[in-house]
Amino acid sequence: MLNTYVVYVENKPGVLTRVASLFRRRAFNIDSLTVGRTEKPEVSRMTITVDADHDQARRIEANLYKLVNVLLVENITNQPAIIRDLAMIKVAATHDARSHVLELASVFRARVVDVAPDSLTIEITGAEDKIDGLLEVLRPYGVLEMVRTGIVAMRRGKSSTTAATTSTGADVTEEDVSHSV
Amino acid sequence: MTTKNMTGASILWECLEREGVTTVFGYPGGAILPAYDALKGSKIHHILVRHEQGATHMADGYARASGKVGVAVATSGPGATNMVTGIATAMLDSSPIVCITGQVGSKLIGSDAFQETDITGVTLPITKHNYLVTHASEVARTVREAFYVARSGRPGPVLIDITKDAQQTTAEFDWDAAKPQLPGYRPDLSPEKKEYEQALELIHNSKRPVILAGHGIIISGAMNEVRDFAERTGIPVALTLLGLGAFPASHPLNLGMMGMHGEAWVNHTIQEADLLLAFGMRFDDRVTGNLKTYASNAKKIHIEIDPAEINKNVKVDVPLVGDLREVLHELLPHVESIDRSEWLDSIDKLKGDAAVRDIQNLPDSGHLYAAHVINDLWRETRDVETVVVTDVGQHQMWEAQYYKHEKARSLITSGGLGTMGFALPAAIGAKVARPEAEVWVVVGDGGFQMTLCELATIVQEKLKVNIAIINNGFLGMVRQWQEFFYERNYAATPLLNPDFAKLGEAYGIKSMTVSGRSQVVPSVHQAQQHDGPVLINFRVEQEDTVYPMVAAGASLHEMIRRPSKIVETAGDE
């Protein structure tokens, strides 16, 4: 099954390679990996999704902790979380098709970010299946180009970044979990 | 705290001294020259090796013989890449070494400059951690962290790559003796109370338990605790290759080595056990054989410092993640003495006809067998403090079978990586670490030729190291596999060797060749009495085989034993 990890790492050169290399060396296949800044300049945050069974998932976590630059690892697969992917989809949209495409984009709450005589570029943010859904209905019109960021994820409720700078990872308890959209 | 303006190179040596380093093993070159230039102001003794691989094995041998961190130094590019085998060896056997490499000037990095390699990239998967240092001001903190990471938790190799300009430029030297601040690094985990209770329950309810004793016992210094535990619970102890010496060979509860070339009864015992207590070992495939059939009726308790080892190869019932010595301290007051005589008697029965099949018990046929050499070596060195350093192959397994190790750190061998060429340089490191000990290299004719250039290092450093070459004219273990699994097609395994005794003499080493069984003991005595290094070329039976053997992928109890017809033939002679 797909496991989703949130990994806090020290913002130092080469850390991404260390993490990616670990997965390759241990023969785990990364499905998606995103990395970016956090609210703390010395900490970067990765969202990694990996296909792994229960035991493998636990070992991935333990192996990640063996990297000196890794601060905190959370497997949020079974946690309430907000999971987002951003895609830009360039669709062939001549005069006749244009209104249909715009309508579909609006149904999916996607935004048109570029209009050209023969195409439209649509930006959509959401869970992967929502993006897949839009892609599916746009395909008949001719998808010219697509780019996706890979997923980013965040647990609902209490933040984990405080734990990311201490030496032990504090668990977030149930009472901290919110259920907002 | 006083601070003073120093070059990165001087800071490096100063920091090494403060980490307790007295000797480093290295080889100079352009990118590390500033460091070598600054060496003259240091109390550290530098040993010039003949190849950088040798430097890493020496640092490794030093670490394993002493329990301290070993240090190897090399230049950039080829100097650094020559270290790779030694680093990987240390990684797989959890040996704490720090490798220091020079790097081209920081402004040249990425330009494919002369002797430039991205050695931090190259060694990423085979180091516990590594560093690229580009400023003199980073040297002190990096050295502090590197030593801390190398020796704490599950030890391992750490590499520090220092650019030439970081060595040449100056910075305020400010030594912080406090524990380094590494927020993501957690070497000191400990089990939960509930896990201790579960473990105790399994121990007290088991009828046929076995302790599997691994390298972790030696690393954590838990020999006494393991002994107490075994004696108090009456549980017999089987050892891994790297565990040899962790539990005294002569102890009544000692079973001997397990695994691919372990004694048959040891493997049978494990297969019949109802509880395995894995102490600082990692269920390597050479130990378990086929995982599907491995100790299938046994519950498993795994005491291990590295959480990533839990359930990696074998699914365990109770993991106790922490330092073995500390975990045993917690467990010991609660373990109850249980009468295990029935179980121990049944293990005795498993020994069966083992003695009949033992080559040691065959009549003298005029042939010199490696087992005889090893056994004689053991008899003649058992009363003195001895460190045996082996290479990899048949002789390594015979050493493990026929040399009875009583003490920790009396055997140094490459277990995980199986690095041929390890023994000679590692023995140099061991001798430097423990000059009072009698150090013996036990090496095959194949592995010896991989790093024999270090004979020159032995002579230059006037080290009293005894070298026993187990010379069978073959890459013996590979030949054995060809014998069993490739229809005796001895492709590329016969060796045309030089006259090793003459070679030793060319280096100025007292050397001799022994081909008869009666000459073994006198030759060992000669080596012991000579005050310089000695090389003995033991010409042993060419096509001898290590028995028993669990074929790769076979079940642990399905061993290939020494054929009984050989026993009969030999008996007729």
Side-chain angles (χ1 to χ4, degrees):
Chain A
M1 66 174 284
L2 268 191
N3 282 265
T4 305
Y5 296 91
V6 173
V7 183
Y8 291 91
V9 298
E10 289 182 87
N11 183 12
K12 285 185 176 170
V15 174
L16 174 61
T17 314
R18 288 180 196 279
V19 171
S21 163
L22 167 76
F23 283 89
R24 183 185 53 80
R25 175 158 80 93
R26 299 283 178 190
F28 296 118
N29 196 20
I30 296 177
D31 192 71
S32 162
L33 189 158
T34 56
V35 57
R37 283 189 274 258
T38 65
E39 71 285 1
K40 292 190 169 69
E42 70 279 11
V43 177
S44 295
R45 176 171 173 143
M46 298 179 180
T47 305
I48 308 173
T49 55
V50 189
D51 192 25
D53 65 29
H54 179 75
D55 269 343
Q56 289 172 328
R58 209 200 48 78
R59 273 197 292 123
I60 287 170
E61 193 173 326
N63 274 295
L64 280 167
Y65 270 126
K66 283 172 76 167
L67 300 178
V68 170
N69 300 125
V70 168
L71 301 169
L72 180 72
V73 183
E74 288 189 313
N75 186 344
I76 61 162
T77 311
N78 298 314
Q79 307 281 342
I82 312 143
I83 296 177
R84 292 290 182 269
D85 190 358
L86 183 145
M88 289 191 283
I89 307 168
K90 192 176 286 176
V91 199
T94 49
H95 183 73
D96 296 344
R98 185 155 299 197
S99 59
H100 293 124
V101 171
L102 287 170
E103 210 170 296
L104 288 169
S106 128
V107 170
F108 277 85
R109 289 192 223 163
R111 293 200 301 142
V112 175
V113 289
D114 186 54
V115 182
D118 296 327
S119 67
L120 285 173
T121 303
I122 297 167
E123 178 197 300
I124 178 166
T125 308
E128 282 190 302
D129 52 352
K130 178 179 164 184
I131 296 173
D132 292 342
L134 175 61
L135 191 62
E136 219 37 57
V137 296
L138 289 178
R139 241 181 241 290
Y141 298 92
V143 172
L144 303 173
E145 203 179 335
M146 180 183 74
V147 60
R148 291 170 77 152
T149 56
I151 71 158
V152 291
M154 189 179 270
R155 287 172 68 142
R156 294 183 187 274
K158 184 184 163 188
S159 76
S160 306
T161 42
T162 43
T165 49
T166 62
S167 59
T168 52
D171 277 339
V172 177
T173 55
E174 269 310 304
E175 59 190 355
D176 298 317
V177 175
S178 74
H179 296 279
S180 58
V181 282
Chain B
M1 196 173 302
T2 55
T3 62
K4 124 176 145 177
N5 210 35
M6 289 164 71
T7 64
S10 298
I11 293 173
L12 172 66
W13 297 117
E14 178 72 33
C15 291
L16 292 179
E17 275 184 41
R18 291 181 190 226
E19 290 293 345
V21 176
T22 54
T23 309
V24 298
F25 307 91
Y27 202 97
I32 194 75
L33 263 183
Y36 273 84
D37 190 51
L39 186 54
K40 65 179 179 291
S42 163
K43 289 196 271 295
I44 290 174
H45 177 54
H46 177 272
I47 292 181
L48 175 64
V49 304
R50 293 301 182 273
H51 187 290
E52 291 88 348
Q53 181 189 348
T56 52
H57 291 325
M58 287 176 210
D60 190 343
Y62 179 96
R64 296 191 207 205
S66 65
K68 296 185 215 156
V69 178
V71 179
V73 183
T75 192
S76 64
T81 54
N82 276 346
M83 290 180 135
V84 165
T85 303
I87 295 171
T89 305
M91 183 70 175
L92 275 180
D93 288 349
S94 308
S95 191
I97 65 171
V98 169
C99 294
I100 293 158
T101 49
Q103 181 56 277
V104 300
S106 53
K107 294 210 168 48
L108 288 171
I109 285 181
S111 71
D112 298 328
F114 178 66
Q115 295 196 327
E116 183 193 354
T117 331
D118 171 19
I119 197 62
T120 44
V122 169
T123 59
L124 200 93
I126 53 165
T127 46
K128 191 173 169 190
H129 193 53
N130 63 21
Y131 297 88
L132 171 63
V133 175
T134 54
H135 293 284
S137 60
E138 296 165 14
V139 173
R141 185 183 50 80
T142 307
V143 170
R144 187 90 189 96
E145 281 184 18
F147 274 78
Y148 174 62
V149 169
R151 68 179 151 226
S152 57
R154 179 179 183 174
V158 177
L159 180 133
I160 309 174
D161 196 28
I162 313 178
T163 59
K164 198 168 180 179
D165 51 311
Q167 298 168 49
Q168 286 164 324
T169 53
T170 60
E172 292 292 309
F173 175 60
D174 189 358
W175 176 258
D176 185 358
K179 194 165 129 182
Q181 288 298 306
L182 292 166
Y185 182 62
R186 315 168 170 71
D188 41 13
L189 300 168
S190 53
E192 285 170 24
K193 189 162 178 284
K194 191 181 76 186
E195 292 168 330
Y196 280 117
E197 286 162 4
Q198 289 169 340
L200 286 165
E201 195 185 325
L202 284 184
I203 293 164
H204 293 144
N205 288 331
S206 70
K207 297 257 183 301
R208 302 186 307 280
V210 185
I211 291 168
L212 309 180
H215 194 197
I217 296 170
I218 297 168
I219 294 171
S220 82
M223 285 73 71
N224 290 338
E225 287 76 8
V226 171
R227 196 175 165 157
D228 281 356
F229 186 94
E231 285 172 355
R232 207 176 297 184
T233 56
I235 300 178
V237 181
L239 295 102
T240 69
L241 174 65
L242 290 188
L244 294 174
F247 191 75
S250 61
H251 196 284
L253 286 168
N254 182 293
L255 293 172
M257 187 171 71
M258 65 179 106
M260 183 174 267
H261 296 296
E263 287 294 351
W265 73 81
V266 185
N267 289 342
H268 282 305
T269 301
I270 290 166
Q271 292 296 68
E272 291 190 11
D274 67 354
L275 176 67
L276 298 184
L277 292 133
F279 285 1
M281 56 84 76
R282 59 188 181 87
F283 295 105
D284 182 87
D285 55 272
R286 285 296 190 266
V287 153
T288 62
N290 186 347
L291 285 172
K292 287 199 182 74
T293 54
Y294 178 68
S296 43
N297 298 320
K299 300 270 187 195
K300 283 119 189 159
I301 298 172
H302 196 180
I303 309 183
E304 165 61 48
I305 199 159
D306 179 356
E309 289 297 339
I310 305 297
N311 293 337
K312 185 180 81 177
N313 299 328
V314 166
K315 185 114 177 97
V316 298
D317 299 276
V318 181
L320 298 170
V321 176
D323 177 75
L324 180 66
R325 193 158 170 264
E326 287 167 23
V327 172
L328 288 181
H329 270 289
E330 286 294 319
L331 279 176
L332 270 170
H334 307 289
V335 291
E336 291 161 15
S337 174
I338 295 173
D339 177 25
R340 309 262 182 210
S341 52
E342 201 179 317
W343 171 225
L344 295 174
D345 288 347
S346 73
I347 294 172
D348 274 342
K349 288 197 188 77
L350 288 173
K351 288 188 182 171
D353 63 349
V356 180
R357 289 169 186 264
D358 189 341
I359 196 161
Q360 278 283 108
N361 294 333
L362 303 186
D364 188 350
S365 59
H367 297 285
L368 180 61
Y369 285 91
H372 296 135
V373 176
I374 306 281
N375 210 253
D376 283 349
L377 180 63
W378 166 63
R379 283 177 205 288
E380 300 312 313
T381 58
R382 59 196 293 187
D383 295 329
V384 287
E385 189 193 341
T386 306
V387 179
V388 180
V389 186
T390 86
D391 215 71
V392 170
Q394 285 187 317
H395 71 275
Q396 180 188 30
M397 292 303 129
W398 283 315
E399 203 283 347
Q401 292 175 341
Y402 290 100
Y403 198 103
K404 311 296 178 193
H405 290 277
E406 291 293 311
K407 286 184 181 162
R409 304 190 190 279
S410 66
L411 170 63
I412 293 174
T413 191
S414 166
L417 197 67
T419 308
M420 283 175 71
F422 173 80
L424 186 65
I428 294 173
K431 184 68 187 178
V432 170
R434 283 165 56 190
E436 74 294 350
E438 190 172 311
V439 173
W440 280 85
V441 178
V442 175
V443 61
D445 42 340
F448 180 62
Q449 291 180 81
M450 284 194 171
T451 51
L452 65 79
C453 55
E454 303 303 344
L455 287 174
T457 308
I458 290 176
V459 175
Q460 186 164 0
E461 287 295 322
K462 299 186 175 65
L463 293 168
K464 168 61 181 159
V465 171
N466 301 316
I467 302 157
I469 303 174
I470 308 298
N471 177 1
N472 59 8
F474 271 107
L475 298 175
M477 190 58 95
V478 188
R479 185 207 58 74
Q480 176 169 337
W481 281 55
Q482 290 169 330
E483 175 190 336
F484 287 159
F485 312 118
Y486 295 88
E487 295 167 331
R488 292 178 188 258
N489 175 18
Y490 294 161
T493 42
L495 290 169
L496 177 66
N497 289 322
D499 182 332
F500 289 121
K502 276 190 179 166
L503 186 83
E505 278 162 18
Y507 281 95
I509 293 173
K510 180 183 168 74
S511 303
M512 58 194 107
T513 297
V514 168
S515 47
R517 205 163 154 179
S518 61
Q519 295 166 266
V520 175
V521 170
S523 73
V524 170
H525 285 169
Q526 276 194 61
Q528 287 174 316
Q529 280 148 22
H530 184 68
D531 65 358
V534 173
L535 181 154
I536 313 173
N537 176 27
F538 289 104
R539 302 193 59 141
V540 299
E541 180 67 18
Q542 286 213 301
E543 293 186 47
D544 193 11
T545 303
V546 183
Y547 291 107
M549 179 180 187
V550 180
S555 294
L556 196 57
H557 56 277
E558 294 167 353
M559 277 151 289
I560 306 170
R561 307 287 302 276
R562 190 172 286 279
S564 53
K565 76 169 190 288
I566 288 186
V567 177
E568 286 157 19
T569 316
D572 292 336
E573 281 172 10

